[in-house]
Amino acid sequence: MADAAQEFTADTEQAPDAAKDERMATRRKWLLRLLIVVLVLGALYGIWYVLVGRNHVGTDNAYVNAEIAQVTPLLSAQVTEVSVTDTQAVKKGDILVKLDPTNARIAVEQAEADLAEARRRFRQTTATSGALSAQVTARGADIAQARAQLATAQADFEKARIDLQRREALAPDGAVSGDELTSARKGYAAAKAALDLARAGVAQAEATRVAAAGQLAANDALVKGSTEDTDPAVLAAKAKLDNAKLDLERTVIRAPIDGVISKRQVQIGQRVTQGSPIMSIVPISQVYVDANFKERQLRRVKVGMPAKVTSDLYGGDVVYHGRVIGFAGGTGSSMSLIPAQNATGNWIKVVQRVPIRIALDPRELAEHPLRVGLSMEVDVNVSGR
């Protein structure tokens, strides 16, 4: 009995040790399996990183952007019609707003009258040149007539001079009476006066012809080398008319691009001023993505590299394909309204982000439109493939 009791006691003491050893063996087995799984996963990650991961850089700090068109009136007038509302899609050339055209129409009519007046003045100037040319010819005839009168006066003067000389020569002998001598002297004086008058007439006729020729030259300078359509005054009036017609066309404001109306700030009856924004048009078919990458991520990124982009709006099932088209001229903080100033003793280095622009495939945008400001996730393939 004593031997049996001792054997039972020994078996009872060995049982916990055996169970403990079995648990330790099981634990080592699972730890070994876990180690193998971790090593396999690490090897798989290493293979993935070597083959794929190291050739990709990504960020979720990216947003949709676009070249938004500001619609502004080009003249001041009262609004008579508003044809669009916010969120409405429009095509290039669609009518957005109509302005009161009354003043513009009056300006067109005034410009048309000014153009007609300029044409009339050109025709009048052309006709005046013909009249002045005739006057120059007439003044030439007057000069010929004055010269003929001068020749007659010269002949009369020579005759009167000779007659006076003869009578003065005979007067001492008493062959000529005093009255006859006096009459000869008067005739001589009258002939001399007539000669002076004839000479003055020739000078006056010549001066009149010079004046007429000057007027003709001045008038010809206004029309020489020009036609009614190329006359400077007519061209200026045409330009004024074109400008008035352009202002009349601008009373109808049309969409400059395809897109969606946003921020409409105009109502019927409102008087808008030239250059004041009245609405915006977002070209949703031409949006792009501005992705803010950390500076260390951009070591291998180049313009033209392919990128995959997903949107929080559609989730990961919709993937946009694009390309890097440019880098910003500075970091986001340097381009902010109040740039950071790090010239202090408490300076701490902060990783900077540089915006890069990703152009998206237009066909994919047409299938899944995006809106400005949406959050995006960008993955750039730096291998270029």
Side-chain angles (χ1 to χ4, degrees):
M1 291 294 292
D3 295 337
Q6 290 177 357
E7 292 178 359
F8 176 77
T9 302
D11 292 339
T12 304
E13 293 176 352
Q14 292 177 358
D17 294 337
K20 184 178 181 180
D21 292 340
E22 184 177 356
R23 287 195 303 271
M24 291 297 294
T26 302
R27 182 179 297 178
R28 284 195 297 269
K29 184 188 298 183
W30 281 107
L31 288 176
L32 180 60
R33 290 176 179 176
L34 180 60
L35 178 61
I36 293 173
V37 170
V38 171
L39 291 176
V40 170
L41 291 177
L44 291 176
Y45 175 78
I47 295 172
W48 173 85
Y49 178 78
V50 172
L51 297 179
V52 179
R54 68 189 184 94
N55 292 325
H56 290 261
V57 292
T59 182
D60 58 359
N61 189 349
Y63 305 92
V64 178
N65 210 338
E67 301 295 337
I68 300 176
Q70 293 287 343
V71 179
T72 59
L74 297 178
L75 67 161
S76 300
Q78 185 179 21
V79 177
T80 59
E81 180 181 336
V82 180
S83 303
V84 294
T85 59
D86 278 338
T87 73
Q88 180 177 339
V90 294
K91 296 289 185 181
K92 182 178 180 180
D94 288 351
I95 296 177
L96 305 178
V97 177
K98 290 185 179 180
L99 306 179
D100 184 6
T102 303
N103 291 338
R105 285 183 182 145
I106 293 174
V108 169
E109 292 173 357
Q110 180 64 47
E112 288 175 343
D114 291 343
L115 177 59
E117 175 65 18
R119 291 183 181 277
R120 185 188 66 80
R121 284 198 301 267
F122 180 82
R123 291 192 293 267
Q124 181 180 5
T125 303
T126 303
T128 301
S129 291
L132 291 175
S133 178
Q135 288 183 14
V136 171
T137 303
R139 298 293 82 78
D142 291 344
I143 291 174
Q145 182 180 0
R147 286 175 178 172
Q149 291 174 354
L150 176 61
T152 301
Q154 183 73 35
D156 292 342
F157 173 75
E158 290 297 329
K159 180 177 179 302
R161 183 178 64 80
I162 293 172
D163 288 345
L164 177 60
Q165 288 178 351
R166 287 176 179 175
R167 283 170 175 73
E168 286 179 344
L170 297 174
D173 298 333
V176 178
S177 64
D179 292 339
E180 187 176 356
L181 181 60
T182 300
S183 177
R185 287 175 177 171
K186 287 182 178 180
Y188 173 79
K192 184 179 180 182
L195 177 61
D196 293 340
L197 181 62
R199 287 173 177 169
V202 171
Q204 181 179 3
E206 290 176 345
T208 303
R209 186 179 184 280
V210 170
Q215 291 178 355
L216 176 61
N219 201 77
D220 283 343
L222 297 176
V223 296
K224 186 177 181 180
S226 299
T227 64
E228 184 174 334
D229 291 328
T230 60
D231 179 63
V234 173
L235 291 177
K238 281 183 178 180
K240 185 178 179 181
L241 177 59
D242 292 340
N243 185 64
K245 288 181 177 179
L246 184 59
D247 284 343
L248 182 59
E249 292 178 2
R250 287 171 173 171
T251 59
V252 179
I253 302 176
R254 300 179 181 274
I257 59 173
D258 297 347
V260 175
I261 300 296
S262 62
K263 294 197 238 181
R264 199 196 84 172
Q265 308 172 33
V266 61
Q267 304 295 335
I268 295 176
Q270 176 183 348
R271 180 174 178 81
V272 296
T273 57
Q274 181 179 0
S276 60
I278 58 176
M279 67 183 68
S280 301
I281 300 180
V282 181
I284 59 174
S285 62
Q286 300 176 13
V287 298
Y288 49 82
V289 174
D290 284 334
N292 301 297
F293 280 90
K294 296 178 181 179
E295 49 191 318
R296 292 182 179 178
Q297 292 179 297
L298 298 178
R299 293 175 181 175
R300 298 169 59 194
V301 178
K302 306 294 182 184
V303 173
M305 287 184 171
K308 290 184 179 181
V309 184
T310 57
S311 169
D312 292 350
L313 177 64
Y314 298 108
D317 294 336
V318 177
V319 178
Y320 298 90
H321 297 83
R323 286 194 173 274
V324 177
I325 61 173
F327 293 76
T331 63
S333 62
S334 67
M335 295 297 177
S336 62
L337 185 62
I338 304 178
Q341 291 293 333
N342 295 323
T344 65
N346 297 325
W347 177 77
I348 298 175
K349 181 177 180 180
V350 177
V351 176
Q352 300 296 311
R353 289 182 179 267
V354 178
I356 68 172
R357 184 157 296 180
I358 309 294
L360 302 178
D361 188 341
R363 292 175 298 178
E364 295 175 346
L365 280 175
E367 294 175 0
H368 299 90
L370 294 171
R371 295 296 186 269
V372 172
L374 289 177
S375 298
M376 307 292 285
E377 293 187 9
V378 177
D379 180 87
V380 177
N381 186 346
V382 295
S383 68
R385 296 191 298 269

